[in-house]
Amino acid sequence: MNRFEGSGSREAKIRYLDGDFQILLPGGYVVCAVTGRQIPLDELKYWSVDRQEAYADAAASLDAEKRAGHIPTN
């Protein structure tokens, strides 16, 4: 993982890559695209490379995949 620096009270700008991410603008957290919750960078585990979005947990990631039409919503 990348080391992060900067203010913990500022949102980081991230480029999401396969299995890693690159910090474009230092900060302490990113915002979940589904829940709106702040995710500390040291806890960031779920994201979409295609949509360049972060997710708070596996359930939020699954919900995003369903919304994108990649998984049936039965």
Side-chain angles (χ1 to χ4, degrees):
M1 288 263 189
N2 293 309
R3 258 183 98 177
F4 56 92
E5 304 168 355
S7 172
S9 63
R10 180 173 54 194
E11 181 178 359
K13 299 298 177 196
I14 304 289
R15 181 181 335 183
Y16 301 100
L17 308 169
D18 289 327
D20 203 359
F21 55 86
Q22 178 182 25
I23 298 173
L24 303 175
L25 180 65
Y29 67 91
V30 292
V31 176
C32 176
V34 175
T35 66
R37 291 188 344 222
Q38 291 183 1
I39 309 162
L41 290 187
D42 61 346
E43 295 177 19
L44 179 59
K45 297 177 186 164
Y46 303 95
W47 61 81
S48 169
V49 174
D50 293 335
R51 291 184 298 279
Q52 290 293 293
E53 297 176 334
Y55 309 113
D57 52 33
S61 177
L62 179 63
D63 190 37
E65 290 297 313
K66 288 179 180 177
R67 289 180 186 184
H70 296 150
I71 297 175
T73 58
N74 301 7

